[in-house]
Amino acid sequence: MTFENSLAYAKKMDTNDPLAPMREQFHIPKHSNGEDEIYLCGNSLGLQPSRTQEYLNYELSQWQKLGVKGHFSGDFPWMPYHEFLSEGFADLVGAKTSEVVAMNSLTANLHFMMVSFYRPTATRHKILIEDHAFPSDHYAVESQIRYHGFNPDESMLLIKPREGEELIRDEDLMALIEEEGDSIALIMLPGVQYYTGQVFDMEAITKAGHNKGCKVGFDLAHAAGNITMSLHQWNVDFACWCTYKYLNSGPGSVAGCFVHERHHSDKSLNRFAGWWGHDKETRFKMANHFIPMESAEAWQVSNPPILSLAAIRASLDTVKQAGGIKALREKSLQLTGFLRFLLEQELGEDINILTPTEDKAHGSQLSLTVDTHGIDGKVVFERIEAAGVTGDWRYPNVIRVAPVPLYNSFEDCYRFVQILKQSLQPE
Ligand SMILES: *Cc1c(COP(=O)(O)O)cnc(C)c1O
């Protein structure tokens, strides 16, 4: 792609962008000067779609009018409500509708999945994760290892970048799986790494892991709604994602989970069960004998919070209106490509972009380090915030910015880089 470095060009890109009108489907926070913020934080908390309030109000009014009968009445009865999300989730992650379910929260789902897919033995007891994993994932893995009576020092295998590098090289990951595979029970890696924005080759990792007899699961917190995936075709064992980042379903909203269909009828799997995973036909017979559904729904334990699911439904309808994840990804590559082009043109050596350049190795997010002019990165971050940019700061020294295709514009990218440039000036 070739770009031009000017405001006029950015505006022209917006005029020609078929997804530009989607911005009106969102509430854009305002800066103190009354203008729209340059919101580049959709990787952390996505903005509120305009239909969300309507969908929530509908459920509140159903509850007012119907009480318990809301479970079975109206356009979206609560009893099967999670099923209204299956098609949208399946499209996002490349799955069959029977392979996905909305339930719990992300870290809780990682635990539930490990109950089923981390079955350590004396010789095969390791979990492979990345060295700089999101802390919650690290804690979950560590505690599962301990729960099974193993020692994290021996059973937690960390893949690290090479000395002096930030990204994990595919060949190093493959070599580690080849070398250690016989002792690895579970490989659990991100689809998109939260700190660097690196996209992992999920298909190749799954294949390499399966060749060695390991189970392979992914944390898609930063991948769902960001990049295209084919979990079913790739044979991934399980995956979990939250819905409040690129999926715009509100803070702490219910998470998503994928379990490959080849596991659905496996009676030997361990599972922490609850009534919502029981066969629908006989669930309300209240019998003592647990009969799991033959779908990802078998892993549900409780009846879900409908208000949160309504927000997810609003988000999925918004994605659908935009033409689905393929259309979003197409714009995303242009938008993030434009942002990188501007950063390189305007700031050259003054900032470092950790995120890989190749299309297949990045999503919306770029992770930047700033350490020039003797100005601390954190100070630069505070300056851009004061000038109306919302990004986020990740310890120890990264500014993450994610122009997202649903509501960010090429003009947002242009104006952000101008603000960042000014913020790098010595005082
Ligand atoms: C955002 C994120 C989480 C958050 O976990 P919750 O259980 O939703 O609080 C966990 N892991 C990763 C990789 C994340 O990016």
Side-chain angles (χ1 to χ4, degrees):
M1 275 175 272
T2 49
F3 300 109
E4 286 169 35
N5 179 4
S6 73
L7 180 59
Y9 177 82
K11 288 188 171 185
K12 193 179 85 186
M13 289 294 280
D14 287 328
T15 307
N16 295 335
D17 169 18
L19 291 184
M22 289 307 296
R23 184 177 169 93
E24 286 157 29
Q25 298 292 321
F26 287 87
H27 296 281
I28 312 286
K30 298 277 185 218
H31 184 46
S32 53
N33 66 8
E35 286 180 22
D36 284 354
E37 268 184 17
I38 301 174
Y39 193 85
L40 301 176
C41 210
N43 58 315
S44 183
L45 185 74
L47 293 180
Q48 186 184 131
S50 34
R51 45 161 73 73
T52 303
Q53 195 162 357
E54 177 200 325
Y55 285 29
L56 285 175
N57 281 339
Y58 177 77
E59 298 311 329
L60 288 171
S61 78
Q62 289 292 93
W63 179 25
Q64 286 165 10
K65 289 186 272 191
L66 300 168
V68 71
K69 294 191 186 74
H71 283 289
F72 306 101
S73 324
D75 295 337
F76 298 97
W78 304 328
M79 170 75 178
Y81 201 99
H82 62 275
E83 293 171 30
F84 306 133
L85 312 181
S86 302
E87 197 180 309
F89 272 175
D91 286 347
L92 282 170
V93 300
K96 297 189 173 182
T97 50
S98 63
E99 292 175 314
V100 292
V101 64
M103 61 184 196
N104 311 319
S105 56
L106 170 55
T107 310
N109 285 341
L110 292 175
H111 277 296
F112 280 109
M113 290 296 105
M114 282 190 274
V115 164
S116 294
F117 298 107
Y118 176 54
R119 307 292 303 151
T121 65
T123 52
R124 189 188 282 280
H125 52 86
K126 292 180 186 165
I127 303 183
L128 170 61
I129 63 169
E130 86 274 28
D131 185 36
H132 199 160
F134 194 90
S136 199
D137 300 47
H138 190 102
Y139 306 150
V141 163
E142 197 170 36
S143 62
Q144 283 283 335
I145 289 171
R146 282 189 209 284
Y147 173 75
H148 285 281
F150 289 84
N151 177 353
D153 292 342
E154 285 149 22
S155 300
M156 202 162 170
L157 183 60
L158 304 176
I159 171 83
K160 301 182 170 78
R162 292 185 189 183
E163 192 68 35
E165 297 186 5
E166 295 276 359
L167 303 173
I168 291 166
R169 296 196 192 196
D170 287 341
E171 71 253 39
D172 292 354
L173 186 51
M174 292 302 151
L176 188 64
I177 294 171
E178 184 56 36
E179 204 173 293
E180 297 268 357
D182 294 336
S183 65
I184 298 173
L186 173 65
I187 298 171
M188 204 172 87
L189 290 167
V192 178
Q193 217 281 342
Y194 84 98
Y195 185 76
T196 62
Q198 175 179 15
V199 176
F200 283 87
D201 186 341
M202 289 176 258
E203 184 176 16
I205 292 167
T206 306
K207 204 180 230 172
H210 286 170
N211 275 341
K212 285 286 178 178
C214 321
K215 290 283 187 288
V216 184
F218 291 98
D219 183 327
L220 304 180
H222 285 263
N226 182 14
I227 60 171
T228 52
M229 290 173 277
S230 307
L231 299 186
H232 173 79
Q233 201 194 316
W234 297 341
N235 257 324
V236 168
D237 290 294
F238 71 85
C240 308
W241 59 93
C242 50
T243 57
Y244 47 82
K245 291 172 179 164
Y246 294 97
L247 290 179
N248 310 313
S249 303
S253 205
V254 167
C257 191
F258 164 91
V259 181
H260 199 280
E261 73 174 352
R262 70 180 180 284
H263 298 303
H264 294 178
S265 55
D266 182 352
K267 301 269 189 295
S268 71
L269 278 180
N270 246 42
R271 181 191 280 125
F272 284 174
W275 73 319
W276 230 248
H278 187 94
D279 173 41
K280 266 175 226 173
E281 306 307 318
T282 55
R283 186 177 299 160
F284 287 88
K285 296 228 160 70
M286 303 298 193
N288 273 344
H289 178 58
F290 180 71
I291 304 169
M293 298 189 54
E294 294 210 353
S295 68
E297 293 165 277
W299 277 266
Q300 296 176 112
V301 286
S302 296
N303 79 101
I306 297 301
L307 294 178
S308 171
L309 297 195
I312 300 176
R313 198 167 66 77
S315 157
L316 294 174
D317 281 358
T318 306
V319 169
K320 193 168 178 183
Q321 184 188 355
I325 185 65
K326 269 211 178 112
L328 293 180
R329 173 67 168 159
E330 207 171 293
K331 174 174 170 186
S332 168
L333 285 170
Q334 288 204 340
L335 204 56
T336 299
F338 184 54
L339 176 59
R340 179 186 287 273
F341 164 82
L342 294 174
L343 287 166
E344 284 169 356
Q345 283 248 320
E346 290 284 347
L347 300 168
E349 307 282 289
D350 291 350
I351 56 136
N352 176 33
I353 305 175
L354 303 187
T355 312
T357 313
E358 259 187 309
D359 279 0
K360 68 179 172 66
H362 72 82
S364 294
Q365 173 188 326
L366 293 181
S367 302
L368 318 174
T369 54
V370 187
D371 38 24
T372 48
H373 307 286
I375 306 174
D376 188 55
K378 189 75 195 288
V379 171
V380 172
F381 179 72
E382 281 157 9
R383 288 179 179 178
I384 62 173
E385 263 204 323
V389 174
T390 299
D392 72 6
W393 172 258
R394 274 295 170 267
Y395 186 82
N397 63 347
V398 160
I399 295 173
R400 299 188 307 178
V401 282
V404 305
L406 274 170
Y407 48 77
N408 284 121
S409 62
F410 290 85
E411 186 174 341
D412 281 340
C413 296
Y414 184 85
R415 298 205 304 138
F416 162 66
V417 174
Q418 294 303 312
I419 290 170
L420 180 58
K421 189 176 178 183
Q422 276 167 15
S423 305
L424 288 171
Q425 298 307 314
E427 286 174 275

Coordinates of all heavy atoms in Angstrom, one line a residue, residues 166-198:
E166 N 12.1 -8.2 21.2 CA 10.8 -8.1 21.9 C 9.8 -9.2 21.4 O 8.8 -9.5 22.1 CB 10.2 -6.7 21.6 CG 11.0 -5.5 22.2 CD 10.6 -5.3 23.6 OE1 9.8 -6.0 24.2 OE2 11.3 -4.3 24.2
L167 N 10.0 -9.6 20.2 CA 9.0 -10.5 19.6 C 9.5 -12.0 19.7 O 10.7 -12.2 19.7 CB 8.8 -10.2 18.1 CG 8.3 -8.7 17.8 CD1 8.3 -8.5 16.3 CD2 6.9 -8.5 18.4
I168 N 8.5 -12.9 19.7 CA 8.8 -14.3 19.8 C 8.9 -14.8 18.3 O 8.0 -14.6 17.5 CB 7.8 -15.1 20.6 CG1 7.9 -14.7 22.0 CG2 7.9 -16.6 20.4 CD1 6.8 -15.1 22.9
R169 N 10.0 -15.4 18.0 CA 10.2 -15.9 16.6 C 9.5 -17.2 16.4 O 9.6 -18.1 17.2 CB 11.7 -16.1 16.3 CG 12.5 -14.8 16.3 CD 13.8 -15.0 15.6 NE 14.7 -13.9 15.8 CZ 15.8 -13.8 15.1 NH1 16.1 -14.6 14.1 NH2 16.6 -12.8 15.3
D170 N 8.7 -17.3 15.3 CA 8.0 -18.5 14.9 C 9.0 -19.7 15.0 O 8.6 -20.8 15.6 CB 7.5 -18.5 13.5 CG 6.3 -17.6 13.4 OD1 5.7 -17.3 14.5 OD2 5.9 -17.1 12.3
E171 N 10.2 -19.6 14.5 CA 11.1 -20.8 14.4 C 11.5 -21.2 15.8 O 11.7 -22.4 16.1 CB 12.3 -20.5 13.5 CG 13.3 -19.5 14.0 CD 13.3 -18.2 13.3 OE1 12.2 -17.7 13.0 OE2 14.4 -17.6 13.0
D172 N 11.6 -20.2 16.7 CA 12.0 -20.6 18.1 C 10.9 -21.3 18.8 O 11.1 -22.3 19.6 CB 12.3 -19.3 18.9 CG 13.6 -18.7 18.4 OD1 14.3 -19.3 17.6 OD2 14.0 -17.6 18.9
L173 N 9.6 -20.9 18.5 CA 8.5 -21.5 19.1 C 8.3 -22.9 18.6 O 8.1 -23.9 19.4 CB 7.2 -20.7 18.8 CG 5.9 -21.0 19.3 CD1 6.0 -21.2 20.9 CD2 4.9 -20.0 19.0
M174 N 8.5 -23.1 17.3 CA 8.4 -24.4 16.7 C 9.5 -25.4 17.2 O 9.3 -26.5 17.5 CB 8.5 -24.3 15.1 CG 7.3 -23.7 14.5 SD 5.8 -24.5 14.9 CE 4.7 -23.1 14.9
A175 N 10.7 -24.8 17.4 CA 11.8 -25.6 17.9 C 11.5 -26.1 19.3 O 11.8 -27.2 19.7 CB 13.1 -24.8 17.8
L176 N 11.0 -25.2 20.1 CA 10.7 -25.5 21.5 C 9.6 -26.6 21.6 O 9.7 -27.6 22.4 CB 10.2 -24.3 22.3 CG 10.1 -24.5 23.8 CD1 11.4 -24.8 24.5 CD2 9.5 -23.2 24.5
I177 N 8.6 -26.5 20.7 CA 7.5 -27.5 20.7 C 8.1 -28.9 20.3 O 7.8 -29.9 20.9 CB 6.3 -27.1 19.8 CG1 5.6 -25.9 20.4 CG2 5.3 -28.2 19.6 CD1 4.6 -25.2 19.5
E178 N 9.0 -28.8 19.3 CA 9.6 -30.1 18.8 C 10.5 -30.7 19.9 O 10.4 -31.9 20.2 CB 10.5 -29.7 17.6 CG 11.2 -30.9 16.9 CD 10.2 -31.9 16.4 OE1 9.1 -31.6 16.0 OE2 10.6 -33.1 16.5
E179 N 11.2 -29.8 20.6 CA 12.2 -30.3 21.6 C 11.5 -30.8 22.9 O 11.8 -31.9 23.4 CB 13.0 -29.1 22.0 CG 14.4 -29.4 22.5 CD 15.1 -28.1 22.7 OE1 15.4 -27.4 21.6 OE2 15.3 -27.6 23.8
E180 N 10.5 -30.1 23.3 CA 9.9 -30.3 24.7 C 8.5 -31.0 24.5 O 7.9 -31.3 25.6 CB 9.7 -29.0 25.4 CG 11.0 -28.3 25.8 CD 11.5 -28.7 27.1 OE1 10.9 -29.5 27.8 OE2 12.6 -28.2 27.5
G181 N 8.0 -31.1 23.3 CA 6.6 -31.5 23.1 C 6.2 -32.8 23.9 O 5.0 -32.8 24.3
D182 N 7.0 -33.7 24.0 CA 6.6 -35.0 24.7 C 6.3 -34.7 26.2 O 5.6 -35.5 26.8 CB 7.8 -36.0 24.6 CG 8.0 -36.5 23.2 OD1 7.0 -36.4 22.4 OD2 9.1 -36.9 22.9
S183 N 6.8 -33.7 26.7 CA 6.5 -33.4 28.2 C 5.4 -32.3 28.3 O 5.0 -31.9 29.4 CB 7.7 -33.0 28.9 OG 8.3 -31.8 28.4
I184 N 5.0 -31.7 27.2 CA 4.0 -30.7 27.2 C 2.5 -31.2 27.2 O 2.2 -32.0 26.2 CB 4.1 -29.7 26.1 CG1 5.5 -29.0 26.1 CG2 3.0 -28.6 26.1 CD1 5.8 -28.1 24.9
A185 N 1.7 -30.9 28.2 CA 0.3 -31.4 28.2 C -0.5 -30.4 27.4 O -1.4 -30.8 26.7 CB -0.2 -31.5 29.6
L186 N -0.2 -29.1 27.6 CA -1.0 -28.0 27.0 C -0.2 -26.9 26.5 O 0.7 -26.4 27.2 CB -2.0 -27.6 28.1 CG -2.9 -26.3 27.7 CD1 -3.8 -26.6 26.6 CD2 -3.7 -25.9 28.9
I187 N -0.5 -26.4 25.3 CA 0.1 -25.2 24.8 C -1.0 -24.1 24.9 O -2.1 -24.4 24.3 CB 0.5 -25.4 23.3 CG1 1.6 -26.4 23.2 CG2 1.0 -24.0 22.7 CD1 2.0 -26.8 21.8
M188 N -0.8 -23.1 25.6 CA -1.8 -22.0 25.7 C -1.2 -20.7 25.4 O -0.5 -20.1 26.2 CB -2.5 -22.0 27.1 CG -3.9 -21.4 27.0 SD -4.7 -21.6 28.6 CE -4.1 -20.2 29.5
L189 N -1.4 -20.2 24.2 CA -0.8 -19.0 23.7 C -1.9 -18.0 23.3 O -3.0 -18.3 23.0 CB 0.2 -19.3 22.6 CG 1.4 -20.0 23.0 CD1 2.1 -20.6 21.7 CD2 2.4 -19.2 23.8
P190 N -1.5 -16.7 23.1 CA -2.5 -15.7 22.7 C -2.6 -15.8 21.1 O -1.7 -16.2 20.5 CB -1.9 -14.4 23.1 CG -0.4 -14.6 23.3 CD -0.2 -16.1 23.4
G191 N -3.8 -15.4 20.6 CA -3.9 -15.2 19.2 C -3.1 -13.9 18.8 O -2.3 -13.9 17.9
V192 N -3.3 -12.9 19.6 CA -2.6 -11.6 19.4 C -2.0 -11.3 20.8 O -2.8 -11.2 21.8 CB -3.5 -10.5 19.0 CG1 -2.8 -9.1 18.8 CG2 -4.2 -10.8 17.6
Q193 N -0.7 -11.1 20.9 CA -0.1 -10.8 22.2 C -0.5 -9.4 22.6 O -0.3 -8.4 21.9 CB 1.4 -10.9 22.0 CG 2.1 -11.6 23.2 CD 2.4 -10.5 24.3 OE1 2.3 -9.3 24.1 NE2 2.6 -11.1 25.5
Y194 N -0.9 -9.3 23.9 CA -1.5 -8.0 24.3 C -0.4 -6.8 24.4 O -0.8 -5.7 24.2 CB -2.1 -8.1 25.7 CG -1.1 -8.0 26.9 CD1 -1.0 -6.8 27.6 CD2 -0.3 -9.1 27.2 CE1 -0.1 -6.7 28.6 CE2 0.6 -9.0 28.2 CZ 0.7 -7.8 28.9 OH 1.6 -7.7 30.0
Y195 N 0.8 -7.2 24.6 CA 1.8 -6.1 24.9 C 2.5 -5.6 23.6 O 2.6 -4.4 23.3 CB 2.9 -6.7 25.8 CG 3.9 -5.7 26.3 CD1 3.7 -4.8 27.3 CD2 5.2 -5.8 25.8 CE1 4.6 -3.9 27.7 CE2 6.2 -4.9 26.2 CZ 5.9 -4.0 27.2 OH 6.9 -3.1 27.7
T196 N 2.8 -6.6 22.7 CA 3.5 -6.2 21.5 C 2.6 -6.2 20.3 O 3.0 -5.6 19.2 CB 4.6 -7.3 21.1 OG1 3.9 -8.6 20.9 CG2 5.6 -7.4 22.2
G197 N 1.4 -6.7 20.4 CA 0.5 -6.7 19.2 C 0.8 -7.8 18.2 O 0.2 -7.9 17.1
Q198 N 1.8 -8.7 18.5 CA 2.2 -9.8 17.6 C 1.1 -10.8 17.4 O 0.5 -11.3 18.4 CB 3.4 -10.4 18.2 CG 3.9 -11.6 17.3 CD 5.2 -12.3 17.9 OE1 5.6 -12.0 19.0 NE2 5.8 -13.1 17.1

